[in-house]
Amino acid sequence: MNKGIIGIVIVLLVLVSGIYYGYYYFTTGVVNVYVQDPPTTQGYKIYLTISSIMLHKVNASNDSWITISNKTITILLTSNMTFLASSRIPSGEYNEIFLEISAAQVQLGNINISAKIPSGVFKIHIINGMDLKGGSSQSLLISFPHITYTNGQIIISPSITAEVIS
């Protein structure tokens, strides 16, 4: 009798686990975030310290901003795609990505200059949006168009874009 009850409990646990995993898998997808800067001949390097990455979910009833990462990372913007973060998030349509920048440095030769990021964030429009299906994965590429150095100030162009690359 006890073996029968144990068998039923095991079957129920396997069934419930399978249903939960199936629901979780088919209602979420994986997003990978990359960044890239066009090649420059100006002789400077840009380092960004990113403390948070979030995506804006379209038509969300609650919590329209979904956190991808709260891990602080410092990256060098280069013409090569640089991986920022990956996360499993709810499926749906997303139209913006948000980068919280805690520091920005520009290296001109041997001189490091702090760059000012107004409000400390980049709120970036995703060209044509991103439709993340359950059980799928998408990759986003954030492109920084250019920076300028004028009158002793480093200006990072606010016209940053993101697009789905896979």
Side-chain angles (χ1 to χ4, degrees):
M1 191 72 144
N2 286 339
K3 288 183 181 180
I5 293 173
I6 292 173
I8 291 172
V9 169
I10 290 173
V11 168
L12 286 175
L13 286 174
V14 169
L15 183 62
V16 168
S17 296
I19 291 170
Y20 174 78
Y21 176 76
Y23 175 78
Y24 179 73
Y25 179 78
F26 289 110
T27 61
T28 62
V30 175
V31 65
N32 302 299
V33 181
Y34 298 87
V35 66
Q36 185 175 31
D37 189 34
T40 180
T41 58
Q42 302 298 319
Y44 55 77
K45 295 179 181 177
I46 303 171
Y47 294 89
L48 293 178
T49 302
I50 302 167
S51 54
S52 182
I53 303 169
M54 294 184 284
L55 281 171
H56 182 259
K57 188 171 184 182
V58 178
N59 299 324
S61 56
N62 295 331
D63 293 335
S64 60
W65 287 98
I66 308 297
T67 300
I68 302 301
S69 173
N70 279 328
K71 180 181 176 187
T72 299
I73 57 171
T74 299
I75 60 160
L76 167 63
L77 291 179
T78 70
S79 59
N80 298 320
M81 284 184 10
T82 303
F83 176 77
L84 292 182
S86 180
S87 183
R88 182 169 287 279
I89 62 173
S91 59
E93 292 182 44
Y94 294 86
N95 63 352
E96 291 178 315
I97 188 164
F98 178 92
L99 300 180
E100 185 175 335
I101 309 297
S102 55
Q105 293 284 321
V106 177
Q107 184 179 3
L108 294 163
N110 292 328
I111 300 170
N112 289 328
I113 301 168
S114 290
K116 183 172 179 154
I117 308 295
S119 75
V121 299
F122 290 127
K123 193 173 180 182
I124 305 161
H125 175 73
I126 300 172
I127 298 170
N128 298 319
M130 178 182 74
D131 187 12
L132 184 65
K133 303 284 187 213
S136 71
S137 69
Q138 297 273 345
S139 293
L140 281 175
L141 176 61
I142 300 169
S143 299
F144 286 78
H146 64 276
I147 69 162
T148 56
Y149 180 70
T150 308
N151 298 325
Q153 288 189 321
I154 302 294
I155 301 168
I156 298 175
S157 172
S159 58
I160 303 164
T161 60
E163 62 183 321
V164 176
I165 58 171
S166 67

